[in-house]
Amino acid sequence: MDKTSYIQISRSSYKRNFHYLRKIIGEKTRFTSVIKGNAYGHGIENMIEIAGEAGVNHFAVFSADEAYRAHIATPVNADIMVMGYLDDSQLSWAIENGIEFYVFDKGRLLKALEFAKAIGKPARIHLEIETGFHRTGFEIDKLDEIVALILKNAEFLCFEGLCTHYAGAENIANHFRVMNQYMVYSQAVKYFEQKGLRPRFLHTAGSAASLTYPETIMDMVRIGIAQYGFWPSPETLIHRFKKHAAADSDLKRLISWKSSVMAVKEVEAGDFVGYGTSFMANKKMRIAVIPVGYSNGFSRSLSNTGRVLIRGHRVSVIGTVTMNTMTVNVTDIPSVEPGDEVVLIGKQKRLSISIASFC
Ligand SMILES: *Cc1c(COP(=O)(O)O)cnc(C)c1O
C-alpha cells in the first residue's frame, strides 16, 4: 500500500452481476457496458478490462473525451458508441476510427455524411428517436428526409442502431409514459421496415427497463448502474423480488475503499480526543488512528458519527475528521494493532458499509 488508502474493484462481483443480467436479457441480446461518467466512478480503463474479461465487447460513453480513453483501452475486437456530444473535429475522428455514435438531428447526419465521404469510410450511426423523453432525437413525423438520406448514401452511412431512451423506467409512476414511449418507438421500427431499412441493432433499454420491462430488451441493452452492483431504484429491486426467487435477485457492489490502522493508543477518562473539544472520553478508552481524512474524501461531517470496519467489527469515528486522519473507538476490540485492515466502504467478514452511508 503506497497510498494511505486505496479503492478495490472486484472482478468476481462484476462477473456475478454480468451473469445475473445475462440471464435476464438472454444469450442473444448484445450487452453494451455503459462507462460514461468515468464508468460511474469506477475508472474507464479498469472497467473495460474487467468487463472485457467477462465477455463484453461493446462500450457506451457520452462524449469524445471518454471515447478517446476507451479507444486506447479497448482491444481491437471491441466497439465504442458515443451517445452524446461530439463537435465537428471529434465527429471526424470518430468516423476515422470506426467509433459508433448517436445521430439525433439532421445537421449532425449531414455533417457525418460529409466527413464520411471526405475520409472514405462509412459513419457508423445510431439514429435516436424522440419518443417522449424530450431531450434529443428525431420526431417520428420528420423521418422521411432522414430515411431518404440513408437510402441514398448507404455506402457512407452504416445503420448500426435505431434507439431511444426511457424517461424514468426505474419509477412505477412513469409506467404510462414509458409504455407510450415503447409504442412510439415500435411505430418508428415499423416505419423503417416499410421503407426497407433495417438497423443492425434495435435498442431502448438501460438497466431499469431491462430489469422491469422485458419487451424493451430487443437486440441490445445499454447497461450502466446495474453492472456496478446498484439497483436503479428500490422499486426495481422489489419488482424483481416479487417475480423471482430472492436468490436470483442479487447484484453485488464492485467498489471497496480500504486503509489500515496507523496507530493505537489509550486515553484516560476526561481526555479530549483530536482538535478542540468535540469528543471527551468518559472512561479509559483505546483509540485507533486511520490515515484518511477529508482531503481523501471522507467527509468532515462524519466527525463523531461515521463508522468503519476493523477486524469484522463496526467502530465509530470519534472527534473531528481532520485533513489527513480520523480516530475511531476500538475499546471493545483489544486485539487491534497498527497495520490492521480498515474498510471505509465495502465488506469485512459479515458486515458491510455502503456508499449510501456517506449521503
Ligand atoms: C446512462 C445511459 C444508459 C445507462 O443507464 P443505467 O440506468 O445506468 O443503466 C443507457 N442509455 C443512455 C442513453 C444513457 O445515457
Side-chain angles (χ1 to χ4, degrees):
M1 188 172 89
D2 55 352
K3 296 267 167 55
T4 63
S5 69
Y6 59 97
I7 300 275
Q8 257 180 351
I9 298 177
S10 164
R11 291 171 199 272
S12 59
S13 296
Y14 186 86
K15 287 210 172 92
R16 278 183 66 137
N17 296 344
F18 179 75
H19 290 302
Y20 174 66
L21 293 163
R22 178 52 86 197
K23 263 198 301 188
I24 290 166
I25 66 171
E27 288 301 322
K28 294 206 184 104
T29 296
R30 191 172 200 192
F31 183 106
T32 297
S33 168
V34 180
I35 52 167
K36 67 189 179 190
N38 197 26
Y40 295 48
H42 295 67
I44 284 180
E45 293 78 8
N46 295 331
M47 286 314 302
I48 285 176
E49 188 189 325
I50 292 171
E53 264 177 30
V56 175
N57 63 3
H58 199 244
F59 296 93
V61 298
F62 178 77
S63 53
D65 56 317
E66 297 171 338
Y68 294 139
R69 281 174 63 188
H71 184 57
I72 291 167
T74 41
V76 284
N77 63 349
D79 286 306
I80 297 162
M81 173 175 83
V82 180
M83 304 185 293
Y85 187 71
L86 292 169
D87 68 20
D88 285 357
S89 69
Q90 294 166 339
L91 194 58
S92 141
W93 170 82
I95 295 168
E96 191 110 44
N97 289 282
I99 309 286
E100 303 166 23
F101 53 89
Y102 274 32
V103 170
F104 36 71
D105 58 42
K106 190 180 159 197
R108 182 134 153 186
L109 185 62
L110 290 173
K111 271 267 156 49
L113 187 55
E114 177 193 328
F115 291 145
K117 283 180 176 166
I119 294 165
K121 254 180 134 174
R124 305 179 66 186
I125 59 170
H126 291 257
L127 282 192
E128 189 183 12
I129 304 298
E130 171 57 75
T131 59
F133 187 40
H134 300 301
R135 194 170 62 179
T136 47
F138 289 102
E139 301 286 342
I140 193 160
D141 58 0
K142 302 206 176 75
L143 286 172
D144 283 345
E145 233 184 330
I146 304 307
V147 164
L149 271 170
I150 297 178
L151 284 171
K152 188 164 154 237
N153 296 285
E155 195 187 338
F156 295 108
L157 296 173
C158 178
F159 193 11
E160 293 281 347
L162 185 66
C163 53
T164 197
H165 190 55
Y166 296 111
E170 68 282 353
N171 192 333
I172 195 70
N174 299 326
H175 178 83
F176 179 74
R177 191 167 167 203
V178 168
M179 284 295 102
N180 241 8
Q181 287 190 268
Y182 175 77
M183 272 161 36
V184 174
Y185 178 80
S186 303
Q187 282 168 15
V189 173
K190 270 212 198 90
Y191 171 84
F192 278 92
E193 267 168 15
Q194 283 162 5
K195 300 282 175 182
L197 264 181
R198 163 79 191 168
R200 283 183 69 206
F201 295 96
L202 300 178
H203 56 104
T204 65
S207 300
S210 300
L211 290 162
T212 317
Y213 301 99
E215 64 272 43
T216 64
I217 291 174
M218 309 180 193
D219 303 326
M220 177 162 107
V221 291
R222 308 180 302 257
I223 303 290
I225 194 77
Q227 67 180 327
Y228 304 105
F230 294 87
W231 289 90
S233 66
E235 285 170 45
T236 319
L237 173 62
I238 290 163
H239 174 85
R240 292 228 54 99
F241 265 92
K242 274 199 339 216
K243 287 209 163 154
H244 306 273
D248 175 46
S249 299
D250 221 0
L251 289 174
K252 297 265 172 249
R253 304 284 162 90
L254 309 185
I255 249 182
S256 27
W257 183 19
K258 295 178 179 173
S259 180
S260 51
V261 172
M262 173 177 153
V264 178
K265 62 165 27 184
E266 299 205 328
V267 294
E268 299 296 331
D271 287 349
F272 290 111
V273 177
Y275 287 122
T277 54
S278 84
F279 185 87
M280 186 181 78
N282 58 6
K283 56 176 186 179
K284 189 169 171 156
M285 292 176 79
R286 265 166 73 78
I287 61 174
V289 181
I290 299 162
V292 172
Y294 58 77
S295 71
N296 309 103
F298 197 93
S299 173
R300 202 165 180 278
S301 67
L302 294 167
S303 297
N304 280 315
T305 59
R307 301 278 189 277
V308 304
L309 305 178
I310 301 179
R311 296 208 170 210
H313 294 261
R314 198 182 301 276
V315 300
S316 305
V317 173
I318 56 176
T320 48
V321 173
T322 72
M323 187 181 280
N324 301 105
T325 63
M326 68 174 116
T327 306
V328 297
N329 178 4
V330 293
T331 309
D332 298 332
I333 343 168
S335 56
V336 170
E337 52 187 46
D340 280 359
E341 180 190 79
V342 177
V343 171
L344 307 158
I345 295 175
K347 278 185 78 159
Q348 196 183 52
K349 302 248 170 79
R350 291 167 57 195
L351 294 179
S352 72
I353 292 184
S354 77
I355 293 169
S357 320
F358 291 80
C359 303

